[in-house]
């Protein structure tokens, strides 16, 4: 792998950038792999990378029906935080957070992880009780988190309306300083490049159309472009389309796929230095390094695979943003888009064995997938390598929906994302 | 300043209405009818911006929505600042103040420009992914500097003084675009009797006809436009929306139109008038006549001010009477480019040459050129431009028939303006918003809208009908099709006659070759706003970013505020060539709303400020306000939180209210609780299915507390339901849960048990509810009613109709405080009367109004839960110690029964709800504190449950709390620790959640 | 499902109370009493193209029954003199009674407050079988919006198509009103009746005022 | 934004008047107490979630408050029919399949 550095950049600019290497190969798949990862998004690519790097499993293929990072990895609002309420979720997301810190160096790819902090606002007394509960839990779980009062919030976000004249005044917030944002595409590309360098085959424009099974055990997949490809183990990481793949394997998942929308303003000069999220008025906003206000809210109510959502969601989201930031009223919205998220009834993911032997699913991240990319890939890789679920993944078995051992982050995790 | 580029005649500006405006602090003049761009060009302003990455000087290149460079800040005051306005779309008004959004210290002497020149070569696509990584700790510092360069304009930092309206529209036919196709379609649809909305983004309707040289029915095209508009204006079923952009096309023919009502009039809207209006349109049929955008050619230094599209040049001359230069060179691949030369020439300025990439050109336009003696150079193209803040000359050379190589010597032509045309790209954007993918048509060298499941028709240049005649005919055809589908009569409409035009096919030229390879050639810009070059796109492909989406994301192609209207097709073509594929194989990126940017304010509409969300009030609200109550938001309701007397703190007020209630009598406005009237022969059975406890034997006149669980067995609501008669009940729900509970009940009734005969009606708003509570409550109520209130006649957990203060009432002897209580319900129209009557008689008893805070304290003293505070969706009745409210004897497996006995729900170490008594009675634990058994355990410390409720109890003179503790029910008396944020650890004892009167003696009186 | 014959209604249903039967001197209070419509009526311009009035303190009754039960519909007609409007979104009205279709088995009946008790009694007596009558008088108030720009104001409030072709006089829809809801009935070309919930009445009043700002509003009393 | 036909009000209304209530035709087990944890979990949580034709329950929340079923394509968001609770759809597709 051609190592990236400032010096390399200068050298290449003298050569008119004619000698840059490909970031990854475009290989023809082999007939058999130790592990097939279905889904070339951030989670899938991270899984492949850690399989190769941490477990020495390099005979790995990542099958992507479109282009790398083209699903939710490239469609989210890039928020990274780990201030989750329940121990199981908090430990998983904090595991991810630790991997975010240092990821650029690990991958030799600047993913622009910017720890500018996240505010989760409280607008009602119950909001504040929930914030206290979550912050206390975070602290005892070793996660940086504190409760701010209105003045404390105003100090961090000077242009937000904290006057108390609003419909739902800002009563306070939880504040995670280590949280922030990252450049979403770079995460996928960085993992892809690093995985490729370790020998992983990244197969794009190749859709899995069937699962090959023998005696209740998966032995490979059938693709639209290359026919059958066999493998000892198969891991599916296809956010949004998990139910479709599960159906091929003959089972259902406790999932619904919903559109999740986001929008950006035109780029404006820096005015917002942190991430602001409000569950109560229902919106969140940060400002990208390019200057766009990156804005989102919760998922659309009904299921959909259309990568677009309903206009009222956009309206409600912007109403929330203007309620918080009346000064943005004359700023203009440039673009909106949608991703497909598969949501679990308890707002926590599924990282799990399945009814099919050697077939594993990593899905159900709902609106919270991007921030977990690192940790998700890391624990899923360990599980695929050993054929046994990583301890951090164990609470997220799909079978918890039978026993009732849900990890219910509803209402506790602040706003979606 | 003189308008040195303004012609003395012509154009559609109003020369009798001169306007002054300010650009960069200097006052200029223009005319009514100008855009800011045309006025700037009239005044000879060349440089309007610096580019984002390389800080290169940029001038206006287009005349419409596709303009990538002329992005300015406007606004005369702080509050009226608007960032990123496209100068080509901003109508000029008296006093307009505009500033560039880039360039420091000035546009001419930009410091970053110097950096761009020196370091530009080290900034290929994705350079930041490859750098700024070392050391790790430095990224946040690097980022600070990177962020400094961010953004175009700036946000205002004062609140917006303007109003934005929003309105719902319905129509039979929505016509998007008022060019020849759109106007023709609207005219025909209107004549056919359809309800029509026609919207056009420009300051004036007419589209290409406004700058056309063609004659319609022998007269100027603008005369025809005027006659059509006059007829449409007269039509009662037609809504004309000029200055209105259809910015989004959503599912089921729902479209949004962004109308700029007053942006062309003044800095801010007149009082009471909206600045902008968003139309939310549901259309039976949509006719897209959105036209096409001219593609500029991609050649060396094609961003130097003075480089424009041919159609822009024509627009400025024809519509605004502005010739933006003196010596013009046209470089084109199609007939369309010729009009710029003709217009320029006829305006009396010099056309140096028309360079056509095609050979042996034969067309009507070429003939017109020859008639004027303008030089035509065939088989050639402009390769490169010299100049920095204005074009000084161009390099022209012969290229091969495939337009891939330079095959002749390079000659230099001196000029100050270069107009190019690479053909027309249909504006397919809206057609793509609902998921339709455009299809490539090689005959027109462009993408046209793809198939759709929407009731959508396309017309005009959008479907490759680039000629006026073709556009008119296709507009008419679309209207006919829509009318037929609507079962409306198709009227007689005559298409105006035009002189025949001979057209020669265009040449597919996207990227003009240079004598050097692209990587070494002068910068050839594809996307101006983000400084995306042909070399950058080729590099992206070499590095493996091959999918068009990867190219877009890696290079930022199409990511500007123009969203690639100018550059996307050229970018795709360059990608295709780099990959050895065809353009349709490469495909397009996905176009998404908005077509052009829309103010947040317009999308928000009136749902802001005081109208952001309804405030719901009870019938006694005015009284609470007059008594200085502090309010708590509970759902949308405003509930009194506490009633401070002068000088009282919240704690003092709450303590006083708590003590007064337990010692004499307090009163709570409980009107916000949800109330559902349930009646029918199966009402009792129904209640038994939706509540966890039994209802079969509840006698008329009696009340019972019930818990509601989901199928998972987890508590989600609670309340008292009273038996009004054998088949008639009144259910109460939590304030926040009211709507959800009713819908949930209806869901089970309508979808699971339709055979049950039961009707449910919300009566929340009908009743005003006031609870008087405390030892003197009976005496107080006795003063206002003749009813027998004795314990024998009116026992606990029963209700009676009676007259209270002259008003018929339902009074319930139920208690959430543990005191003797009467919940008085009267029709809300009489709520305030009864409330005031109670106070008239209440003075001797020191009747004390209390709010939600005191209610919380009093119920906590009694160990009553608040659903939503003490529960969170992961708690079943047994966890709460409320197994007494679960009846397993019922024949029907009520909702929640099965769920609460799942394997995980019967674990003995579940977190269970208990009382928490701090060892130090003066310490009030914060709600949300997390308990541990071992405060010295290492982090992550095993947590055993959190505090859900915690108060100072003035009645008990100590703190009280409740919360969850793992296996808590079996740990009475044991110690649990609460490590707090400040580092202290509070030690507490697990106890019963009932702190006061566990036998219930106070309420059974 | 149930075997209980509803032989004695009193046994099964709560006795009907004359909730408006208040003592002398006790007056009801509209949810908008604080607005002071009487004073506003003196202050607002007389030539405004939008007019608004509140019909406060009316009697409102929710009727639930089965439109396919001929005995029930006949009983209704016998009591009220009006045929129960069973077609979706329809209404019938006499001089002092309005009956609005709300759902296939639900109607909202409005009468003068003084007539409510008697109506409720007579309906209760006449209707047989499974049905419900619920007094919701205090839970609702009624606006009447009229004038040449009334439709333009309403278009900012409700998402339904108000064109005469789709929304003729007499039609009733229950729909969203901004972030609240309302039951909307067209009385004639330029006049609409809005029935709104008490706790949202102030919000809807604020919204209507705001929506008519660009045209001008006259409050009538 | 969807336009949904309410079979009770007999006209189309904007989706904002409705609430989505998930997959249709999921019958509550007749004897929950006899269900295993697995069966009960399947009833509560496990869903077809098809990419394609989907039968789902909606309620006209701001209108007549009645529930009904809708057949919709979850990719194109086309709505093919509204039909009453207790009746069967006239349009069905293999899960993930195209409408016939």
């Amino acid at each position: 792998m051609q190592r990236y550095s400032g010096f390399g950049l200068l050298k290449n600019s003298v050569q008119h950038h004619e000698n840059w290497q490909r970031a990854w190969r475009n290989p023809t798949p082999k007939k058999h792999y130790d592990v097939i990862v279905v889904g070339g998004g951030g989670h899938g690519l991270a899984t492949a990378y850690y399989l190769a790097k941490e477990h020495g499993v390099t005979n790995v293929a990542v099958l992507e029906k479109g282009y790398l990072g083209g699903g939710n990895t490239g469609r989210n609002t890039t928020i990274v935080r780990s201030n989750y309420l329940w121990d199981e979720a908090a430990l998983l997301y904090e595991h991810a957070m630790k991997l975010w810190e240092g990821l650029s160096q690990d991958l030799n790819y600047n993913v622009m992880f910017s720890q500018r902090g996240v505010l989760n606002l409280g607008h009602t007394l119950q909001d504040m009780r929930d914030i206290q509960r979550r912050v206390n839990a975070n602290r005892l779980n070793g996660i940086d988190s504190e409760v701010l009062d209105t003045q404390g919030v105003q100090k961090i976000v000077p242009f937000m309306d904290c006057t108390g004249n609003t419909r739902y005044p800002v009563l306070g917030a939880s504040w995670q300083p280590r949280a922030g944002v990252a450049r979403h595409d770079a995460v996928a590309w960085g993992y892809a490049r690093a995985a490729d360098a370790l020998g992983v085959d990244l197969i794009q424009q190749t859709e899995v159309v069937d699962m090959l099974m023998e005696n209740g055990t998966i032995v490979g997949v059938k693709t639209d472009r290359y026919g059958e490809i066999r493998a000892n183990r198969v891991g599916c990481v296809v956010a949004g389309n998990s139910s479709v793949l599960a159906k091929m394997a003959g089972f259902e998942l406790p999932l619904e796929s919903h559109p999740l929308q986001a929008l950006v303003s035109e780029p404006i000069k820096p005015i917002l230095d942190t991430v602001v999220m409000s569950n109560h008025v229902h919106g969140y906003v940060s400002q990208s390094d390019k200057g766009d206000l990156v804005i989102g809210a919760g998922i659309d109510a009904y299921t959909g695979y259309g990568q677009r959502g309903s206009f009222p969601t956009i309206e409600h989201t912007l109403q929330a943003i203007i309620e918080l930031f009346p000064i943005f009223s004359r700023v203009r919205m440039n673009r909106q888009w949608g991703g497909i998220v598969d949501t679990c009834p308890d707002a926590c993911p599924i990282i799990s064995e399945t009814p099919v032997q050697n077939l594993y699913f990593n899905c159900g991240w709902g609106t919270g997938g991007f921030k977990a990319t690192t940790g998700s890939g890391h624990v899923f890789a360990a599980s695929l390598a050993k054929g046994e679920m990583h301890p951090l993944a164990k609470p997220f078995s799909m079978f918890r929906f039978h026993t009732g051992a849900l990890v219910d982050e509803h209402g506790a995790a602040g706003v979606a994302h | 300043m003189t308008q040195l580029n303004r012609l003395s005649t012509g154009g559609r500006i109003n020369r009798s209405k001169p306007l002054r405006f300010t650009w960069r602090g200097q006052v200029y003049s223009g005319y009514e009818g100008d855009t800011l761009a045309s006025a700037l060009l009239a005044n000879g302003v060349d440089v309007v911006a610096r580019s984002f990455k390389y800080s290169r000087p940029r001038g206006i290149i287009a005349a419409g929505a596709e303009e990538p460079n002329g992005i300015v800040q406007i606004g005369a005051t702080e509050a009226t600042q608007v960032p990123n306005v496209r100068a080509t779309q901003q109508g000029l008004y008296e006093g307009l103040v505009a500033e560039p959004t880039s360039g420091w210290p000035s546009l001419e002497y930009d410091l970053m420009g110097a950096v761009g020149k020196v370091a530009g070569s080290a900034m290929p696509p994705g350079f930041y992914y490859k750098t700024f990584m070392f050391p790790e700790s430095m990224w946040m510092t690097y980022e600070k500097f990177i962020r400094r360069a961010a953004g175009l304009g700036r946000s205002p930092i004062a609140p917006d003084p303007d109003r934005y309206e929003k309105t719902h529209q319905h129509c039979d036919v929505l016509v998007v675009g008022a060019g020849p196709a759109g106007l023709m379609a609207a005219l025909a649809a209107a004549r056919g009797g359809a309800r029509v909305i026609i919207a056009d983004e420009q300051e004036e309707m007419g589209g290409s006809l406004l700058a056309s040289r063609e004659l319609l029915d022998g007269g100027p095209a603008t005369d025809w436009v005027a006659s059509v508009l006059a007829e449409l204006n007269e039509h009662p079923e037609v809504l004309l929306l000029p200055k209105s952009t259809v910015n989004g096309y959503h599912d089921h023919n729902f479209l949004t139109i962004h109308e700029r009502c007053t942006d062309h009039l003044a800095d801010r809207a007149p009082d009471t008038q909206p600045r902008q209006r968003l139309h939310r349109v549901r259309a039976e049929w949509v006719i897209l006549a959105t036209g096409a955008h001219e593609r500029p050619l991609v050649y060396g230094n094609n961003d130097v001010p003075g480089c424009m599209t041919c159609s822009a040049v024509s627009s400025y001359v024809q519509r605004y009477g502005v010739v933006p230069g003196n010596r013009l060179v046209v470089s084109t691949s199609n007939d369309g480019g010729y009009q710029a030369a003709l217009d320029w020439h006829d305006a009396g300025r010099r056309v140096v040459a028309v360079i056509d990439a095609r050979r042996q050109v034969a067309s009507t336009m070429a003939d017109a050129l020859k008639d004027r003696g303008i030089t035509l150079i065939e088989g050639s193209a402009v390769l490169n431009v010299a100049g920095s803040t204005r074009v000084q000359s161009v390099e022209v050379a012969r290229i091969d028939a495939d337009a891939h190589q330079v095959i002749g010597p390079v000659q230099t032509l001196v000029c100050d303006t270069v107009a190019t045309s690479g053909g027309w790209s249909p504006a397919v954007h809206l057609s793509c918003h609902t998921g339709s993918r455009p299809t490539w048509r090689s005959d027109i060298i462009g993408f046209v809208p793809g198939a759709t499941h929407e009731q959508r028709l396309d017309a005009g240049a959008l479907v490759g009908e680039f000629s006026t005649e073709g556009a008119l005919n296709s507009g008419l055809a679309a209207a006919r099709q829509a009318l037929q589908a609507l079962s409306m009569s198709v009227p007689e409409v005559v298409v105006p006659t035009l002189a025949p035009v001979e057209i020669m096919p265009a040449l597919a030229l996207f990227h003009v070759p240079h004598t050097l390879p692209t990587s070494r050639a002068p910068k050839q810009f594809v996307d101006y706003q983000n400084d995306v070059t042909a070399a950058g796109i080729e590099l992206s492909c070499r590095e493996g970013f091959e999918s068009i989406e990867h190219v877009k994301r890696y290079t930022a192609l199409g990511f500007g505020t123009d969203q690639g209207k100018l550059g996307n097709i050229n970018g795709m073509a360059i990608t295709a060539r780099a990959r050895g594929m065809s353009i349709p194989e490469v495909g397009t990126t996905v176009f998404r709303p908005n077509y052009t940017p829309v103010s947040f304010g317009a999308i928000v509409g009136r749902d802001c400020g005081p109208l952001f969300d309804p405030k719901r009030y009870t019938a006694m609200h005015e009284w609470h306000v007059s008594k200085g109550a502090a309010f708590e938001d509970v759902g949308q309701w405003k509930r009194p939180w506490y009633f401070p007397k002068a000088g009282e703190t919240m704690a003092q007020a709450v303590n006083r209210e708590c003590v007064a209630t337990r010692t004499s009598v307090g009163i709570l406005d409980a009107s916000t609780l949800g109330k559902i009237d349930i009646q029918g022969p199966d009402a009792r059975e129904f209640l038994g299915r939706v509540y966890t406890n039994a209802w079969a034997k509840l006698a008329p006149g009696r009340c019972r507390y019930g818990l509601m669980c989901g199928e998972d067995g987890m508590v989600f609501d609670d309340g008292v339901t009273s038996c009004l008669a054998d088949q008639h009940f009144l259910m109460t729900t939590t304030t926040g849960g009211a709507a959800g509970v009713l819908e949930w009940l209806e869901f089970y009734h309508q979808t699971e048990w339709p055979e049950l005969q039961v009707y449910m009606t919300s009566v929340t708003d009908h009743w005003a509810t006031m609870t008087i509570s405390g030892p003197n409550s009976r005496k107080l109520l006795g003063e206002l009613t003749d009813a027998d209130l004795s314990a024998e006649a009116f026992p606990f957990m029963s209700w009676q109709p009676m007259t209270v203060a002259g008003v018929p009432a339902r009074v319930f002897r139920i208690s959430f405080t543990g005191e003797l209580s009467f919940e008085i319900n009267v029709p809300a129209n009489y709520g305030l009367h009864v409330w005031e009557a109670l106070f008239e008689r209440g003075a001797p008893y020191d009747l004390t109004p209390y709010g939600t805070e005191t209610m919380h304290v009093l119920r906590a003293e009694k160990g009553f839960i608040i659903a939503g505070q003490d529960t969170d969706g992961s708690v079943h009745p047994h966890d709460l110690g409320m197994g007494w409210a679960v009846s397993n004897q019922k024949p029907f497996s009520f909702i929640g029964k099965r769920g609460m006995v799942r394997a995980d729900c019967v674990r003995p170490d579940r977190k269970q709800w208990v009382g928490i008594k701090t060892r130090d009675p003066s310490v009030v634990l914060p709600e949300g504190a997390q308990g541990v058994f071992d405060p010295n355990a290492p982090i992550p410390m095993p947590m055993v449950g959190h505090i859900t409720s915690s108060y100072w109890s003035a009645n008990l003179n100590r703190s009280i709390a409740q919360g969850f503790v793992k296996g808590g029910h079996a740990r009475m008396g044991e110690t649990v620790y609460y490590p707090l944020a400040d580092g202290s650890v509070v030690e507490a004892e697990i106890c019963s959640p009932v702190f006061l009167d566990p036998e219930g003696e106070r309420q059974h009186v | 499902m149930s075997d209980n014959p509803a032989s004695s209604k009193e046994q099964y249903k709560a006795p009907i109370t004359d909730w408006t039967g208040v003592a002398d001197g006790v007056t009801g209070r509209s949810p908008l009493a604080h607005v002071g419509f009487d004073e506003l009526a003196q202050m607002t311009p007389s030539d405004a193209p939008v007019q608004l009035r509140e019909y406060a303190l009316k009697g409102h009754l929710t009727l639930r029954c089965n439109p396919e039960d001929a005995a029930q519909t006949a009983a209704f007609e016998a009591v009220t003199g009006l045929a129960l409007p069973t077609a979706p979104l329809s209404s019938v009205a006499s001089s002092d009674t309005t009956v609005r279709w709300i759902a296939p088995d639900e109607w909202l009946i409005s009468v003068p407050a003084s007539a409510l008790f008697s109506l409720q009694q007579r309906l209760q007596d006449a209707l047989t079988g499974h049905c419900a009558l619920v007094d919701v008088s205090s839970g609702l108030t009624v606006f009447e919006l009229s004038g040449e720009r009334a439709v333009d104001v309403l278009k900012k409030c409700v998402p339904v198509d108000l064109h005469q072709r789709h929304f003729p006089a007499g039609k009733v829809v229950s729909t969203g009103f901004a972030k609240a809801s309302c039951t909307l009935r067209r009385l004639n070309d330029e006049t609409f009746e809005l029935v709104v919930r008490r706790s949202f009445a102030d919000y809807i009043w604020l919204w209507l005022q705001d929506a008519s700002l660009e045209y001008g509003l006259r409050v009538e009393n | 934004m969807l336009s949904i036909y309410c079979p009770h009000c007999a006209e189309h209304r904007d989706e904002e008047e409705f609430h989505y209530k998930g997959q249709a035709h999921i019958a509550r087990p007749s004897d929950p107490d006899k269900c295993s944890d697995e069966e009960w979990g399947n009833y509560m949580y496990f869903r077809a979630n098809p990419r394609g034709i989907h039968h789902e329950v909606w309620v006209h929340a701001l209108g007549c408050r009645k529930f009904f079923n809708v057949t919709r394509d979850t990719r194109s968001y086309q709505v093919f029919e509204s039909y009453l609770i207790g009746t069967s759809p006239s349009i069905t597709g293999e899960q993930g399949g195209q409408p016939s």
Side-chain angles (χ1 to χ4, degrees), chain B residues 401-473:
Chain B
D402 294 332
H404 286 173
Q405 281 179 43
V406 176
I407 54 171
V410 176
Q411 61 166 316
T412 301
L413 301 176
V414 174
C415 62
D416 63 5
T417 308
V418 186
T420 63
S421 177
W424 291 82
S425 300
V428 296
H429 307 69
L430 289 172
S431 77
C432 301
H433 289 180
T434 50
S436 160
R437 284 303 186 106
T439 52
W440 180 255
R441 263 185 47 198
S442 52
D443 60 328
I444 63 155
I445 317 173
F447 282 99
V448 295
T452 179
H453 48 264
E454 300 290 342
Q455 299 199 140
R456 189 198 83 209
L457 298 161
D458 311 308
L462 175 64
V463 285
E465 295 290 348
F466 296 137
S467 74
T468 303
E469 189 178 11
L472 290 166
N473 281 319

Side-chain angles (χ1 to χ4, degrees), chain B residues 662-908:
Chain B
R662 292 239 184 267
T663 54
S664 182
V665 58
I667 183 166
L668 174 79
D669 181 352
S671 306
T672 61
L673 290 182
K675 292 173 280 286
I676 301 168
D677 180 282
I678 301 175
Q679 44 184 310
D682 299 313
R684 200 174 279 276
E685 168 67 19
F686 186 76
L687 289 172
R689 295 183 182 191
V690 298
Y691 273 130
T692 58
N693 49 351
W695 296 84
K697 295 198 175 103
L698 186 71
R702 304 296 301 188
C703 315
R704 180 166 291 168
Y705 173 81
L707 275 178
M708 271 178 192
C709 296
E711 294 282 19
D712 59 359
M714 303 303 159
V715 174
F716 81 93
D717 208 88
D718 67 345
V720 170
T721 289
S722 304
C723 185
L724 302 180
D726 191 41
Q727 299 179 355
H728 194 174
F729 296 82
L730 181 72
M731 173 186 282
T732 60
T733 74
T734 60
T735 297
V741 168
L742 180 57
E743 190 166 291
W744 182 78
L745 296 175
E746 289 282 3
F747 175 80
Y748 276 98
H749 179 222
Q750 293 182 36
T751 70
E752 287 291 341
W753 313 315
E755 70 281 5
L756 293 188
Q757 293 194 328
V758 58
Y759 286 125
M760 285 161 283
T761 306
S762 169
V763 289
T764 303
D765 281 79
H766 175 67
W767 297 102
T769 304
M770 50 208 92
T771 307
I772 53 173
S773 197
N776 282 324
S777 56
R778 181 178 281 138
K779 283 186 212 154
L780 172 60
L781 182 57
E783 301 210 10
L784 291 158
T785 183
D786 297 332
D788 182 354
L789 303 176
S790 67
E792 300 70 36
F794 193 3
F796 184 54
M797 294 310 275
S798 71
W799 78 275
Q800 290 196 356
M802 64 182 74
T803 298
V804 178
V807 177
R810 284 176 181 161
V811 179
F812 300 77
R813 256 208 73 187
I814 54 180
S815 176
F816 198 38
T817 63
E819 295 298 324
L820 174 67
S821 295
F822 297 88
E823 190 187 281
I824 305 161
N825 283 259
V826 293
N829 289 344
Y830 303 99
L832 185 59
H833 164 80
V834 174
W835 181 273
E836 286 177 335
L838 285 163
F839 274 92
E840 274 169 31
R841 299 297 183 91
Y845 309 102
D846 183 28
L847 175 62
T848 300
Y850 68 89
T852 51
E853 189 66 19
T854 291
M855 175 188 84
H856 282 203
V857 178
L858 296 175
R859 65 86 204 179
E861 288 172 349
K862 282 291 296 174
F864 296 142
I865 63 157
I866 290 186
Q869 177 174 339
D870 299 297
T871 68
D872 64 1
S874 68
V875 176
H876 60 56
H878 300 286
D879 294 336
L880 291 165
M882 295 175 75
W884 52 266
V886 179
S887 164
N888 285 322
Q889 309 308 315
K890 294 192 279 185
F892 190 87
S893 183
F894 62 85
I895 298 172
K897 185 182 181 194
R898 179 62 189 85
M900 66 181 81
V901 294
R902 287 172 297 161
D904 191 71
C905 299
V906 294
R907 280 187 294 113

Side-chain angles (χ1 to χ4, degrees), chain A residues 302 310-313 315-316 319, chain B residues 166 168 254 280 282 607, chain C residues 158-160 175-180, chain D residues 1-4 13-20 58-63:
Chain A
Y302 50 86
S310 185
F311 186 64
T313 304
E315 293 173 296
H316 289 140
Q319 287 160 15
Chain B
K166 209 185 277 189
H168 300 94
F254 178 81
R280 303 167 99 239
R282 185 76 73 175
D607 296 284
Chain C
V158 299
V160 295
T175 183
F177 182 109
K179 284 182 180 162
Chain D
M1 183 171 66
L2 308 184
S3 176
I4 298 170
R13 298 285 180 84
D14 285 354
E15 85 182 35
E16 291 171 279
E17 290 193 13
F18 302 87
H19 291 168
Y20 176 76
W58 291 75
V59 57
H60 195 180
L62 297 183

Side-chain angles (χ1 to χ4, degrees), chain B residues 34-42 60 62-63 86-90 316 322:
Chain B
D34 261 327
T35 62
L36 177 58
S38 67
L40 286 169
L41 289 169
I60 286 161
R86 213 166 268 125
T88 51
Q89 292 192 294
Q90 174 62 52
Y316 288 116
V322 172

Side-chain angles (χ1 to χ4, degrees), chain B residues 562-619:
Chain B
D562 56 314
Q563 297 201 52
K565 292 186 181 66
L566 216 52
N568 265 5
I569 302 297
N570 285 334
M572 289 166 202
I574 293 165
T575 303
R577 196 160 157 234
R579 297 188 59 195
M581 298 166 83
S582 69
I583 293 175
E585 279 173 320
V586 166
T588 63
T589 55
V590 179
F591 295 107
R592 298 190 180 274
N594 291 324
Y595 176 68
T596 51
V598 177
S599 311
F600 284 1
I603 295 167
V604 169
R606 301 304 304 143
D607 296 284
C608 59
L611 295 172
F612 170 63
D613 204 39
K615 289 178 186 162
R616 298 179 69 183
Y617 300 124
T618 73

